[in-house]
Amino acid sequence: MEDGTAERIRPRDRILETARDMFHKHGIKGVGVDAITEAAGTNKMTLYRHFESKDDLVIECLRATACSANAMWQKFEAEHPGDKLAQLHAWVRMAADCLMMDGRGCDMANAAIELSETDHPARRVIKELKQAQRDRLVGLCGDAGIGQPELLADTLSLLLEGARVSLQSVGAEGPSAQFVRMAEGLITSFRAR
């Protein structure tokens, strides 16, 4: 943002974008508001004018992540109109691409692990957003004509979460390298039932 774009982006958006990036790279608890405001080229007064607390900023970051996920679903529909099975295969490819592009994992899952207090305000938001993603995947599996769409969606979700952990712990050559093959095998198996 050294070319002057920092000044052209609204302060709220600049803070949100900076916080999302920093939370993703360093964790929520690893980043303070001072670091966020400095990196965003603003100050704490401006941050607190737009977000009542760091917790509110975290929640808005998670909601922005959910918006990005919604854009992904819309892309599947646009690229494969009316072909739900192709959209499901596109979900698998996108999940694999995300795994290999970014070893940090899912922002919502990371936040859920980091924010271990059950009454933390972001926990409710994480649950709602993760449930919405699950519902969307269940719907896609069902619309693709797969029997037991809830079981397949949950199995694919757990496979993806496990692949993320495997990538973190043993690297790209570990079991996560087989994600596409395993996911496609699951889809084929469920379709054959």
Side-chain angles (χ1 to χ4, degrees):
M1 288 191 199
E2 293 177 16
D3 61 356
T5 40
E7 289 77 34
R8 286 181 270 159
I9 299 172
R10 291 179 20 217
R12 183 185 193 285
D13 296 337
R14 203 168 59 237
I15 292 166
L16 191 58
E17 181 180 321
T18 301
R20 279 185 74 192
D21 182 59
M22 293 179 81
F23 291 156
H24 183 75
K25 288 178 182 172
H26 308 290
I28 293 167
K29 292 187 177 182
V31 178
V33 293
D34 289 329
I36 293 167
T37 56
E38 182 179 334
T42 189
N43 57 49
K44 284 175 28 174
M45 185 183 333
T46 302
L47 184 145
Y48 289 120
R49 186 178 316 126
H50 294 286
F51 306 96
E52 287 185 26
S53 66
K54 182 180 174 184
D55 289 343
D56 287 337
L57 177 58
V58 168
I59 288 168
E60 287 306 309
C61 287
L62 294 171
R63 287 190 174 128
T65 297
C67 286
S68 298
N70 285 337
M72 168 201 68
W73 289 101
Q74 292 168 355
K75 181 180 178 196
F76 298 157
E77 292 167 3
E79 290 177 354
H80 307 285
D83 189 344
K84 300 301 183 178
L85 187 58
Q87 291 175 27
L88 183 57
H89 290 293
W91 180 91
V92 169
R93 288 188 304 279
M94 176 280 314
D97 290 346
C98 287
L99 272 173
M100 294 307 142
M101 286 188 319
D102 180 19
R104 288 289 301 147
C106 170
D107 290 340
M108 283 187 260
N110 291 343
I113 291 165
E114 236 186 300
L115 305 172
S116 58
E117 308 88 359
T118 55
D119 62 341
H120 192 285
R123 302 272 308 175
R124 180 181 45 78
V125 173
I126 294 165
K127 182 178 180 180
E128 289 169 5
L129 297 174
K130 282 293 214 180
Q131 184 64 48
Q133 286 182 356
R134 178 192 181 270
D135 292 347
R136 197 138 190 197
L137 187 56
V138 168
L140 182 58
C141 290
D143 292 345
I146 293 172
Q148 297 181 297
E150 288 186 355
L151 183 59
L152 177 58
D154 289 344
T155 304
L156 289 171
S157 294
L158 289 173
L159 178 64
L160 177 57
E161 295 294 343
R164 287 176 173 143
V165 172
S166 174
L167 184 64
Q168 291 273 335
S169 58
V170 296
E173 298 79 32
S176 64
Q178 301 298 320
F179 173 78
V180 171
R181 195 167 132 213
M182 288 187 256
E184 294 292 351
L186 283 166
I187 293 168
T188 299
S189 173
F190 273 79
R191 288 188 71 211
R193 291 180 183 188

